[in-house]
Amino acid sequence: MIRVQAEPFDAAAELGRFTDALANSGAVVSFTGVVRARRDAGEVCTLELEHYPGFTAKVIAGIEAEARRRFPLEDCLVIHRFGELAPGEPIVFVATAAEHRRGAFEAADYLMDRLKTEAPFWKREQRPEGAAWIEPREADLRDRARWDEKVS
Amino acid sequence: MLKVLFFGRLREAAGTGELALELPAGVADTDALRRWLPRDNLQLREELERLSVRVAVNEVLASPAHPLTGGETVAFMPLVSGG
């Protein structure tokens, strides 16, 4: 299941509900991405996430479907926020459940690598000196490339 | 009517996130639209010329020169900054 929402969410409560609904899994993995505070702290800065209503959810649903195809998952959940976020707030949440740990770990890792490089979100940081768009990171693209299917 | 959507830097450069227009004369595909839209906006032209800009037609990623008839929603998207 996937959710794209403006409302804040409680990662611990989401994980609890996700786990309670499972029947056959021996392994549950979760990842929560949190808005970073600026390193040169002191000043409040917010993060604005723009998305494409409808299309963004469609792309994420495709990534989730591919994760279910690749890994032996009983269930998985992706929550992604858009709108204005403050440092410390959860921005993304992924939970995966499988019979054994390897599938759950790998599926969570896979989901995050694809979300970071393909989910249609455009981020802008509101800094005291003005707004700045956040560019994709080379490291994220390298992480994503680890999952490319080998063509033999 | 054609609906044109801009996101991120492109929205900022265009000064709007959404335009509604009749298909301009001589514009038959998304590539021609991409060249027509910024005809009097240099900043938008520079942003749209980036190779990384992706185009979706009716919420499906499209080839750079996807044919248009005038009733579509065409979205121009810069590189995503990640989830």
Side-chain angles (χ1 to χ4, degrees):
Chain A
M1 183 180 152
I2 70 137
R3 279 163 32 204
V4 178
Q5 62 185 52
E7 300 74 34
F9 61 85
D10 178 340
E14 295 292 347
L15 179 59
R17 275 192 292 276
F18 177 80
T19 307
D20 287 346
L22 299 170
N24 301 309
S25 293
V28 177
V29 166
S30 79
F31 173 86
T32 307
V34 176
V35 180
R36 270 184 214 92
R38 283 189 81 187
R39 274 182 288 275
D40 52 339
E43 292 138 337
V44 178
C45 92
T46 58
L47 190 64
E48 286 171 17
L49 255 90
E50 196 177 322
H51 77 306
Y52 180 175
F55 182 74
T56 296
K58 205 189 290 188
V59 171
I60 295 176
I63 294 171
E64 188 220 19
E66 180 61 17
R68 287 178 185 267
R69 187 186 73 79
R70 283 188 172 218
F71 305 98
L73 296 178
E74 178 188 343
D75 198 7
C76 76
L77 170 64
V78 176
I79 304 172
H80 209 301
R81 286 185 65 194
F82 62 88
E84 199 165 300
L85 285 89
E89 287 186 8
I91 177 170
V92 59
F93 177 81
V94 162
T96 55
E99 193 173 353
H100 299 287
R101 72 180 183 283
R102 186 68 54 209
F105 271 128
E106 288 188 349
D109 199 16
Y110 172 84
L111 282 164
M112 278 311 306
D113 282 348
R114 290 204 57 193
L115 288 171
K116 289 292 287 185
T117 50
E118 294 168 55
F121 290 101
W122 298 276
K123 290 177 178 167
R124 192 161 62 163
E125 235 176 27
Q126 288 293 347
R127 303 170 181 167
E129 67 273 19
W133 292 101
I134 298 182
E135 300 296 336
R137 296 167 59 231
E138 195 57 42
D140 290 333
L141 298 173
R142 279 198 303 275
D143 286 344
R144 165 68 184 88
R146 295 182 302 148
W147 303 101
D148 288 345
E149 274 175 312
K150 315 246 178 331
V151 182
S152 53
Chain B
M1 290 290 268
L2 192 69
K3 197 156 109 178
V4 179
L5 305 177
F6 298 108
F7 293 93
R9 292 171 173 280
L10 292 169
R11 180 177 51 76
E12 198 170 58
T16 180
E18 187 173 334
L19 292 174
L21 58 142
E22 298 296 341
L23 194 65
V27 172
D29 60 32
T30 49
D31 182 53
L33 181 65
R34 188 168 166 166
R35 283 181 276 113
W36 182 86
L37 283 167
R39 64 205 176 286
D40 51 11
N41 181 336
L42 189 63
Q43 194 193 346
L44 182 61
R45 184 183 308 165
E46 281 175 10
E47 293 291 344
L48 279 173
E49 276 172 1
R50 289 173 194 254
L51 293 174
S52 54
V53 169
R54 305 242 260 169
V55 184
V57 176
N58 297 334
E59 295 190 5
V60 178
L61 282 179
S63 60
H66 186 95
L68 295 173
T69 57
E72 297 90 347
T73 296
V74 182
F76 291 96
M77 298 178 279
L79 217 53
V80 304
S81 30

